[in-house]
Amino acid sequence: MLQIQENVSLKKFNTFGIDANARYFAEISHEDELVELFADPQWLSTDRLVIGGGSNMLLVKDFEGLIIRMNIRGIEHRISHDDVFVEVGAGEVWNDLVNFCVDRNYAGMENLSLIPGSVGASPIQNIGAYGVELKDVFASCRTFEIATGAFRTFTKEDCKFGYRESVFKTELAGQYIIVGVKFHLSLKPNINLKYGAIEQELVNRGITQPTIEDVSQVVSHIRVSKLPDPSTIGNAGSFFKNPVIGAVQFGLLQEQFPDIVNYPMPDGQIKLAAGWLIEQCGWKGKTVGNTGTWKNQALVLVNHGGATGEEVYSLSSQIIDSVYTKFGVTLQREVNIIS
Ligand code: EPU
């Protein structure tokens, strides 16, 4: 039976560890509960926010509407020749799924090891790391359409995935709730070592023929060494996106800053490393009140304990201003700001 709680602290439901309250809070363990919830028209007209692991959001103040926490569980898998199809409830923890697949030698998501968050959130921003993005293993997702109460399947094309983007963040934002995701993996590993740090760490370990388990372990090792663990230091991973600029602007910047870290894109534009830009402005490892940037990765803002959402937001604005002043590049926040 669906229960709606009132005045719930969200501290343990967001990895930033921000202590803000939700006016209403519903936990969904079965998709029928969404039908039941929206059968009451009150919730159609209330501000809503759907959360999974709460790992990509910053609560700037109390949330006066309804928080819907997705907790639908279950992992089912089917093998057909070398193809593996895995259907997963939105509420499963992303890294538990990665481990489930790596343990069974289902290849494709090993580079995405240790990304925080839930499976249901993974398509929304097309999570990615170490040369692989969610879209590379995504088959389809099952969604609930809030306005009609109908369930609809989105194919990969329907989702219009881009860099940290999908249709669920843009044209269809707020209209659908992801209840499950189907992945397409393989029994034949296609080891992806495009990202130099993985290859280097494999060499350090004397591994010449890496298995997907080796890759998963190496990626986890790199993440732990660079990124703060949200269970001890509140954070939401990369706070900003890596900015993409045109070739002309890049040429001028490179003259002035010959070391500027850059990744040319297939379309001729250039992606810059936001972490590098922020570090050059002197922010890396800096503490400001209860917040700051992480000592090993300036792109990650952290809660050193007791930070408010406003404090973190204000730091992010200062960072945006100083990067703009020094480089003329405007950083965009990647984290979902709830205000
Ligand atoms: N760099 C600095 N200073 C810093 C941080 C980075 O100079 O403080 C430089 C690094 O030396 C490197 C470059 O910037 O040359 C890129 O750094 P890194 O390899 O750490 O990757 P990133 O571009 O900063 C992205 C993703 C991460 C993902 C890593 C690895 C975005 C916004 N972030 O970070 O994703 O784990 O690549 O693939 O695309 C996340 O989204 O929450 C996240 C952690």
Side-chain angles (χ1 to χ4, degrees):
M1 181 66 190
L2 176 65
Q3 284 193 353
I4 295 171
Q5 296 166 260
E6 291 191 44
N7 301 319
V8 173
S9 166
L10 296 173
K11 191 165 181 198
K12 66 171 195 242
F13 297 112
N14 72 99
T15 59
F16 246 121
I18 303 289
D19 195 6
N21 282 339
R23 178 75 184 88
Y24 301 103
F25 183 92
E27 185 151 286
I28 302 294
S29 306
H30 193 277
E31 60 183 44
D32 290 348
E33 289 171 332
L34 286 174
V35 179
E36 188 185 340
L37 177 70
F38 287 103
D40 180 345
Q42 172 187 356
W43 303 120
L44 286 170
S45 55
T46 305
D47 259 1
R48 297 174 300 261
L49 178 66
V50 181
I51 64 171
S55 57
N56 196 42
M57 61 193 249
L58 177 68
L59 290 153
V60 176
K61 57 182 199 312
D62 288 344
F63 189 72
E64 295 304 334
L66 169 69
I67 297 273
I68 300 171
R69 178 160 194 267
M70 296 303 289
N71 197 23
I72 298 174
R73 297 293 173 139
I75 304 181
E76 283 173 23
H77 48 130
R78 181 171 63 81
I79 297 176
S80 166
H81 304 289
D82 287 335
D83 295 310
V84 185
F85 295 93
V86 189
E87 287 193 61
V88 192
E92 289 290 342
V93 172
W94 173 263
N95 196 49
D96 293 349
L97 171 65
V98 174
N99 289 335
F100 176 95
C101 294
V102 170
D103 287 350
R104 287 165 179 75
N105 207 29
Y106 299 166
M109 46 174 74
E110 53 281 358
N111 292 45
L112 304 177
S113 296
L114 223 59
I115 295 186
S118 67
V119 167
S122 63
I124 295 180
Q125 62 152 335
N126 182 24
I127 59 171
Y130 305 106
V132 175
E133 286 184 325
L134 175 101
K135 69 168 170 52
D136 303 327
V137 287
F138 179 94
S140 64
C141 62
R142 181 170 161 84
T143 67
F144 174 80
E145 185 177 18
I146 296 171
T148 62
F151 290 92
R152 171 178 164 193
T153 297
F154 280 73
T155 63
K156 193 192 285 195
E157 289 68 35
D158 294 337
C159 294
K160 301 187 184 165
F161 290 122
Y163 168 57
R164 297 296 195 271
E165 285 292 351
S166 78
V167 80
F168 301 110
K169 269 180 88 175
T170 53
E171 60 208 76
L172 300 181
Q175 296 182 34
Y176 291 85
I177 297 175
I178 295 174
V179 296
V181 183
K182 187 172 176 182
F183 297 91
H184 184 177
L185 303 172
S186 174
L187 291 177
K188 284 204 174 143
N190 180 11
I191 301 285
N192 181 330
L193 305 178
K194 264 187 264 169
Y195 196 91
I198 301 184
E199 213 161 12
Q200 186 54 52
E201 184 58 28
L202 287 167
V203 170
N204 293 349
R205 294 177 182 209
I207 298 171
T208 48
Q209 300 273 307
T211 62
I212 63 169
E213 182 156 16
D214 294 328
V215 173
S216 174
Q217 280 175 6
V218 162
V219 166
S220 300
H221 171 85
I222 298 171
R223 285 189 78 92
V224 168
S225 68
K226 275 194 178 178
L227 301 168
D229 174 1
S231 66
T232 51
I233 297 183
N235 75 90
S238 299
F239 197 91
F240 304 98
K241 287 190 189 185
N242 284 330
V244 176
I245 63 172
V248 174
Q249 185 183 6
F250 177 69
L252 295 170
L253 271 176
Q254 203 178 27
E255 271 173 29
Q256 220 184 328
F257 305 100
D259 299 336
I260 191 164
V261 177
N262 67 93
Y263 312 96
M265 316 257 290
D267 65 359
Q269 300 205 97
I270 315 288
K271 193 186 269 185
L272 304 178
W276 186 87
L277 299 171
I278 297 168
E279 179 173 352
Q280 297 304 305
C281 293
W283 287 106
K284 190 172 182 172
K286 215 168 185 176
T287 298
V288 183
N290 296 321
T291 180
T293 63
W294 185 236
K295 58 180 190 314
N296 300 332
Q297 169 53 288
L299 190 49
V300 178
L301 303 196
V302 295
N303 175 2
H304 286 297
T308 62
E310 274 171 359
E311 250 183 303
V312 178
Y313 188 82
S314 149
L315 173 65
S316 71
S317 300
Q318 290 177 58
I319 291 173
I320 291 172
D321 287 350
S322 57
V323 167
Y324 185 77
T325 304
K326 192 172 170 90
F327 298 103
V329 172
T330 306
L331 293 182
Q332 308 285 343
R333 294 179 180 87
E334 192 238 283
V335 164
N336 202 0
I337 306 295
I338 313 300
S339 58

mmCIF file of all heavy atoms in Angstrom, residues 128-130 163-164 195 223 226-227 237-238 240-242 261 263 273 275-276 279 284 297-299 334, ligand 1:
data_model
loop_
_atom_site.group_PDB
_atom_site.id
_atom_site.type_symbol
_atom_site.label_atom_id
_atom_site.label_comp_id
_atom_site.label_asym_id
_atom_site.label_seq_id
_atom_site.Cartn_x
_atom_site.Cartn_y
_atom_site.Cartn_z
ATOM 1 N N GLY A 128 28.540 8.642 -17.870
ATOM 2 C CA GLY A 128 29.701 8.189 -18.627
ATOM 3 C C GLY A 128 30.976 8.328 -17.830
ATOM 4 O O GLY A 128 31.056 9.163 -16.925
ATOM 5 N N ALA A 129 31.934 7.496 -18.170
ATOM 6 C CA ALA A 129 33.259 7.607 -17.568
ATOM 7 C C ALA A 129 34.233 6.718 -18.331
ATOM 8 O O ALA A 129 33.844 5.672 -18.862
ATOM 9 C CB ALA A 129 33.231 7.187 -16.093
ATOM 10 N N TYR A 130 35.478 7.151 -18.379
ATOM 11 C CA TYR A 130 36.579 6.346 -18.909
ATOM 12 C C TYR A 130 36.275 5.774 -20.293
ATOM 13 O O TYR A 130 36.469 4.583 -20.560
ATOM 14 C CB TYR A 130 36.999 5.271 -17.889
ATOM 15 C CG TYR A 130 37.319 5.934 -16.581
ATOM 16 C CD1 TYR A 130 36.457 5.841 -15.489
ATOM 17 C CD2 TYR A 130 38.428 6.755 -16.482
ATOM 18 C CE1 TYR A 130 36.715 6.542 -14.316
ATOM 19 C CE2 TYR A 130 38.693 7.460 -15.317
ATOM 20 C CZ TYR A 130 37.831 7.353 -14.251
ATOM 21 O OH TYR A 130 38.080 8.062 -13.112
ATOM 22 N N TYR A 163 26.096 14.213 -24.775
ATOM 23 C CA TYR A 163 27.031 14.283 -23.639
ATOM 24 C C TYR A 163 26.287 14.778 -22.395
ATOM 25 O O TYR A 163 25.870 15.922 -22.339
ATOM 26 C CB TYR A 163 28.206 15.212 -24.003
ATOM 27 C CG TYR A 163 29.084 15.609 -22.829
ATOM 28 C CD1 TYR A 163 29.711 14.652 -22.041
ATOM 29 C CD2 TYR A 163 29.269 16.947 -22.513
ATOM 30 C CE1 TYR A 163 30.492 15.029 -20.969
ATOM 31 C CE2 TYR A 163 30.053 17.325 -21.447
ATOM 32 C CZ TYR A 163 30.660 16.359 -20.675
ATOM 33 O OH TYR A 163 31.430 16.730 -19.600
ATOM 34 N N ARG A 164 26.079 13.860 -21.453
ATOM 35 C CA ARG A 164 25.321 14.147 -20.213
ATOM 36 C C ARG A 164 23.925 14.698 -20.529
ATOM 37 O O ARG A 164 23.405 15.530 -19.786
ATOM 38 C CB ARG A 164 26.073 15.138 -19.310
ATOM 39 C CG ARG A 164 27.404 14.636 -18.788
ATOM 40 C CD ARG A 164 27.238 13.428 -17.870
ATOM 41 N NE ARG A 164 28.440 13.170 -17.103
ATOM 42 C CZ ARG A 164 29.452 12.389 -17.500
ATOM 43 N NH1 ARG A 164 29.393 11.789 -18.676
ATOM 44 N NH2 ARG A 164 30.492 12.203 -16.717
ATOM 45 N N TYR A 195 41.081 5.386 -22.521
ATOM 46 C CA TYR A 195 41.433 6.348 -21.491
ATOM 47 C C TYR A 195 42.786 5.952 -20.914
ATOM 48 O O TYR A 195 42.931 4.895 -20.279
ATOM 49 C CB TYR A 195 40.342 6.312 -20.430
ATOM 50 C CG TYR A 195 40.345 7.487 -19.507
ATOM 51 C CD1 TYR A 195 39.595 8.625 -19.800
ATOM 52 C CD2 TYR A 195 41.088 7.468 -18.346
ATOM 53 C CE1 TYR A 195 39.590 9.699 -18.958
ATOM 54 C CE2 TYR A 195 41.095 8.547 -17.494
ATOM 55 C CZ TYR A 195 40.340 9.653 -17.798
ATOM 56 O OH TYR A 195 40.336 10.723 -16.956
ATOM 57 N N ARG A 223 38.955 5.815 -9.664
ATOM 58 C CA ARG A 223 37.893 6.674 -9.115
ATOM 59 C C ARG A 223 38.135 6.961 -7.635
ATOM 60 O O ARG A 223 37.995 8.090 -7.186
ATOM 61 C CB ARG A 223 36.520 6.026 -9.297
ATOM 62 C CG ARG A 223 35.997 6.076 -10.706
ATOM 63 C CD ARG A 223 34.553 5.613 -10.771
ATOM 64 N NE ARG A 223 33.638 6.648 -10.331
ATOM 65 C CZ ARG A 223 33.055 7.539 -11.130
ATOM 66 N NH1 ARG A 223 33.257 7.487 -12.418
ATOM 67 N NH2 ARG A 223 32.246 8.437 -10.644
ATOM 68 N N LYS A 226 40.782 9.538 -7.089
ATOM 69 C CA LYS A 226 40.532 10.916 -7.546
ATOM 70 C C LYS A 226 39.309 11.551 -6.928
ATOM 71 O O LYS A 226 39.241 12.768 -6.799
ATOM 72 C CB LYS A 226 40.286 10.894 -9.062
ATOM 73 C CG LYS A 226 41.514 10.936 -9.901
ATOM 74 C CD LYS A 226 41.094 11.250 -11.330
ATOM 75 C CE LYS A 226 42.283 11.352 -12.241
ATOM 76 N NZ LYS A 226 41.845 11.604 -13.609
ATOM 77 N N LEU A 227 38.312 10.727 -6.644
ATOM 78 C CA LEU A 227 37.003 11.277 -6.287
ATOM 79 C C LEU A 227 36.659 10.976 -4.831
ATOM 80 O O LEU A 227 36.947 9.880 -4.338
ATOM 81 C CB LEU A 227 35.920 10.686 -7.201
ATOM 82 C CG LEU A 227 36.120 10.943 -8.701
ATOM 83 C CD1 LEU A 227 35.184 10.083 -9.545
ATOM 84 C CD2 LEU A 227 35.891 12.419 -9.020
ATOM 85 N N GLY A 237 29.687 14.180 -7.458
ATOM 86 C CA GLY A 237 30.557 13.954 -8.619
ATOM 87 C C GLY A 237 30.882 15.281 -9.294
ATOM 88 O O GLY A 237 30.868 16.344 -8.659
ATOM 89 N N SER A 238 31.124 15.211 -10.590
ATOM 90 C CA SER A 238 31.433 16.442 -11.335
ATOM 91 C C SER A 238 30.294 17.442 -11.152
ATOM 92 O O SER A 238 29.149 17.129 -11.450
ATOM 93 C CB SER A 238 31.558 16.150 -12.832
ATOM 94 O OG SER A 238 32.585 15.245 -13.085
ATOM 95 N N PHE A 240 30.234 20.464 -12.673
ATOM 96 C CA PHE A 240 30.047 21.171 -13.949
ATOM 97 C C PHE A 240 30.278 20.198 -15.095
ATOM 98 O O PHE A 240 30.939 19.175 -14.931
ATOM 99 C CB PHE A 240 31.063 22.318 -14.081
ATOM 100 C CG PHE A 240 31.018 23.302 -12.947
ATOM 101 C CD1 PHE A 240 31.924 23.203 -11.888
ATOM 102 C CD2 PHE A 240 30.072 24.312 -12.919
ATOM 103 C CE1 PHE A 240 31.887 24.101 -10.826
ATOM 104 C CE2 PHE A 240 30.024 25.226 -11.862
ATOM 105 C CZ PHE A 240 30.928 25.114 -10.812
ATOM 106 N N LYS A 241 29.754 20.575 -16.250
ATOM 107 C CA LYS A 241 30.073 19.820 -17.466
ATOM 108 C C LYS A 241 31.405 20.306 -18.005
ATOM 109 O O LYS A 241 31.795 21.456 -17.741
ATOM 110 C CB LYS A 241 29.030 20.110 -18.546
ATOM 111 C CG LYS A 241 27.698 19.499 -18.332
ATOM 112 C CD LYS A 241 26.929 19.724 -19.637
ATOM 113 C CE LYS A 241 25.502 19.371 -19.517
ATOM 114 N NZ LYS A 241 24.822 19.473 -20.809
ATOM 115 N N ASN A 242 32.054 19.486 -18.796
ATOM 116 C CA ASN A 242 33.226 19.975 -19.519
ATOM 117 C C ASN A 242 32.726 20.862 -20.660
ATOM 118 O O ASN A 242 31.916 20.410 -21.476
ATOM 119 C CB ASN A 242 34.042 18.801 -20.062
ATOM 120 C CG ASN A 242 34.841 18.110 -18.970
ATOM 121 O OD1 ASN A 242 35.248 18.744 -17.993
ATOM 122 N ND2 ASN A 242 35.059 16.810 -19.109
ATOM 123 N N VAL A 261 44.226 21.845 -21.321
ATOM 124 C CA VAL A 261 43.832 20.457 -21.601
ATOM 125 C C VAL A 261 42.631 20.492 -22.538
ATOM 126 O O VAL A 261 41.656 21.200 -22.285
ATOM 127 C CB VAL A 261 43.472 19.703 -20.301
ATOM 128 C CG1 VAL A 261 43.007 18.289 -20.618
ATOM 129 C CG2 VAL A 261 44.656 19.668 -19.338
ATOM 130 N N TYR A 263 40.226 18.268 -25.790
ATOM 131 C CA TYR A 263 39.867 17.060 -26.523
ATOM 132 C C TYR A 263 39.122 17.479 -27.791
ATOM 133 O O TYR A 263 37.961 17.901 -27.712
ATOM 134 C CB TYR A 263 38.950 16.165 -25.680
ATOM 135 C CG TYR A 263 39.444 15.942 -24.259
ATOM 136 C CD1 TYR A 263 38.965 16.728 -23.213
ATOM 137 C CD2 TYR A 263 40.380 14.954 -23.969
ATOM 138 C CE1 TYR A 263 39.411 16.542 -21.909
ATOM 139 C CE2 TYR A 263 40.834 14.761 -22.673
ATOM 140 C CZ TYR A 263 40.346 15.556 -21.653
ATOM 141 O OH TYR A 263 40.788 15.366 -20.370
ATOM 142 N N ALA A 273 38.750 20.651 -20.337
ATOM 143 C CA ALA A 273 38.599 19.986 -19.036
ATOM 144 C C ALA A 273 38.252 21.058 -18.001
ATOM 145 O O ALA A 273 39.096 21.875 -17.624
ATOM 146 C CB ALA A 273 39.884 19.266 -18.658
ATOM 147 N N GLY A 275 37.850 20.752 -14.918
ATOM 148 C CA GLY A 275 38.694 20.603 -13.721
ATOM 149 C C GLY A 275 39.990 21.391 -13.853
ATOM 150 O O GLY A 275 40.457 22.032 -12.918
ATOM 151 N N TRP A 276 40.556 21.357 -15.045
ATOM 152 C CA TRP A 276 41.817 22.088 -15.297
ATOM 153 C C TRP A 276 41.579 23.594 -15.216
ATOM 154 O O TRP A 276 42.337 24.324 -14.588
ATOM 155 C CB TRP A 276 42.369 21.694 -16.675
ATOM 156 C CG TRP A 276 43.720 22.273 -16.983
ATOM 157 C CD1 TRP A 276 44.923 21.744 -16.668
ATOM 158 C CD2 TRP A 276 43.985 23.527 -17.651
ATOM 159 N NE1 TRP A 276 45.939 22.570 -17.107
ATOM 160 C CE2 TRP A 276 45.381 23.664 -17.707
ATOM 161 C CE3 TRP A 276 43.179 24.521 -18.210
ATOM 162 C CZ2 TRP A 276 46.010 24.772 -18.295
ATOM 163 C CZ3 TRP A 276 43.789 25.626 -18.791
ATOM 164 C CH2 TRP A 276 45.194 25.744 -18.838
ATOM 165 N N GLU A 279 41.111 24.568 -11.643
ATOM 166 C CA GLU A 279 42.389 24.512 -10.915
ATOM 167 C C GLU A 279 43.259 25.720 -11.247
ATOM 168 O O GLU A 279 43.870 26.332 -10.361
ATOM 169 C CB GLU A 279 43.139 23.212 -11.263
ATOM 170 C CG GLU A 279 44.487 23.133 -10.552
ATOM 171 C CD GLU A 279 45.194 21.797 -10.720
ATOM 172 O OE1 GLU A 279 44.598 20.849 -11.258
ATOM 173 O OE2 GLU A 279 46.362 21.731 -10.282
ATOM 174 N N LYS A 284 41.465 24.664 -6.616
ATOM 175 C CA LYS A 284 41.594 23.235 -6.281
ATOM 176 C C LYS A 284 41.913 23.031 -4.801
ATOM 177 O O LYS A 284 42.884 23.599 -4.290
ATOM 178 C CB LYS A 284 42.668 22.590 -7.144
ATOM 179 C CG LYS A 284 42.696 21.079 -7.022
ATOM 180 C CD LYS A 284 43.637 20.495 -8.043
ATOM 181 C CE LYS A 284 43.681 18.997 -8.020
ATOM 182 N NZ LYS A 284 44.451 18.477 -9.146
ATOM 183 N N GLN A 297 40.503 16.652 -7.415
ATOM 184 C CA GLN A 297 39.694 16.860 -8.630
ATOM 185 C C GLN A 297 38.844 18.115 -8.410
ATOM 186 O O GLN A 297 37.833 18.085 -7.718
ATOM 187 C CB GLN A 297 38.846 15.598 -8.885
ATOM 188 C CG GLN A 297 37.747 15.676 -9.933
ATOM 189 C CD GLN A 297 38.172 16.172 -11.291
ATOM 190 O OE1 GLN A 297 38.454 17.368 -11.431
ATOM 191 N NE2 GLN A 297 38.209 15.308 -12.295
ATOM 192 N N ALA A 298 39.293 19.218 -9.023
ATOM 193 C CA ALA A 298 38.670 20.512 -8.748
ATOM 194 C C ALA A 298 37.243 20.624 -9.281
ATOM 195 O O ALA A 298 36.510 21.543 -8.921
ATOM 196 C CB ALA A 298 39.527 21.625 -9.349
ATOM 197 N N LEU A 299 36.851 19.671 -10.128
ATOM 198 C CA LEU A 299 35.515 19.691 -10.732
ATOM 199 C C LEU A 299 34.436 19.236 -9.739
ATOM 200 O O LEU A 299 33.241 19.379 -9.992
ATOM 201 C CB LEU A 299 35.552 18.766 -11.956
ATOM 202 C CG LEU A 299 34.417 18.704 -12.943
ATOM 203 C CD1 LEU A 299 33.989 20.086 -13.379
ATOM 204 C CD2 LEU A 299 34.847 17.882 -14.154
ATOM 205 N N GLU A 334 26.391 20.741 -14.050
ATOM 206 C CA GLU A 334 25.921 19.428 -14.497
ATOM 207 C C GLU A 334 24.931 18.863 -13.481
ATOM 208 O O GLU A 334 24.013 18.123 -13.827
ATOM 209 C CB GLU A 334 27.137 18.506 -14.661
ATOM 210 C CG GLU A 334 26.863 17.220 -15.381
ATOM 211 C CD GLU A 334 27.208 16.017 -14.555
ATOM 212 O OE1 GLU A 334 28.409 15.691 -14.446
ATOM 213 O OE2 GLU A 334 26.275 15.400 -14.010
HETATM 214 N N1 EPU B 1 42.353 18.160 -14.375
HETATM 215 C C1 EPU B 1 43.097 19.135 -13.772
HETATM 216 N N2 EPU B 1 42.759 19.539 -12.519
HETATM 217 C C2 EPU B 1 41.720 19.002 -11.846
HETATM 218 C C3 EPU B 1 40.944 18.003 -12.462
HETATM 219 C C4 EPU B 1 41.270 17.588 -13.750
HETATM 220 O O1 EPU B 1 44.045 19.644 -14.337
HETATM 221 O O2 EPU B 1 41.494 19.405 -10.714
HETATM 222 C C5 EPU B 1 42.737 17.697 -15.712
HETATM 223 C C6 EPU B 1 43.303 16.273 -15.635
HETATM 224 O O3 EPU B 1 44.655 16.260 -15.388
HETATM 225 C C7 EPU B 1 42.971 15.733 -16.994
HETATM 226 C C8 EPU B 1 41.689 16.441 -17.353
HETATM 227 O O4 EPU B 1 41.600 17.581 -16.523
HETATM 228 O O5 EPU B 1 43.955 16.114 -17.917
HETATM 229 C C9 EPU B 1 40.463 15.566 -17.221
HETATM 230 O O6 EPU B 1 40.327 15.107 -15.875
HETATM 231 P P1 EPU B 1 39.647 13.688 -15.531
HETATM 232 O O7 EPU B 1 40.306 12.615 -16.278
HETATM 233 O O8 EPU B 1 39.579 13.566 -14.054
HETATM 234 O O9 EPU B 1 38.205 13.783 -16.153
HETATM 235 P P2 EPU B 1 37.136 14.963 -16.170
HETATM 236 O O10 EPU B 1 36.994 15.399 -17.582
HETATM 237 O O11 EPU B 1 37.455 15.985 -15.161
HETATM 238 C C10 EPU B 1 35.098 13.405 -16.688
HETATM 239 C C11 EPU B 1 33.724 13.180 -16.146
HETATM 240 C C12 EPU B 1 33.783 12.319 -14.883
HETATM 241 C C13 EPU B 1 34.445 10.989 -15.248
HETATM 242 C C14 EPU B 1 35.853 11.286 -15.812
HETATM 243 C C15 EPU B 1 36.551 10.044 -16.302
HETATM 244 C C16 EPU B 1 32.440 15.138 -16.784
HETATM 245 C C17 EPU B 1 31.789 16.395 -16.336
HETATM 246 N N3 EPU B 1 33.093 14.450 -15.851
HETATM 247 O O12 EPU B 1 35.809 14.189 -15.727
HETATM 248 O O13 EPU B 1 32.455 12.048 -14.481
HETATM 249 O O14 EPU B 1 34.552 10.137 -14.116
HETATM 250 O O15 EPU B 1 35.732 12.174 -16.946
HETATM 251 O O16 EPU B 1 35.979 9.600 -17.477
HETATM 252 O O17 EPU B 1 32.323 14.775 -17.950
HETATM 253 C C18 EPU B 1 30.684 12.770 -13.070
HETATM 254 O O18 EPU B 1 30.056 13.044 -14.097
HETATM 255 O O19 EPU B 1 30.169 12.926 -11.922
HETATM 256 C C19 EPU B 1 32.052 12.292 -13.182
HETATM 257 C C20 EPU B 1 32.823 12.101 -12.124
#
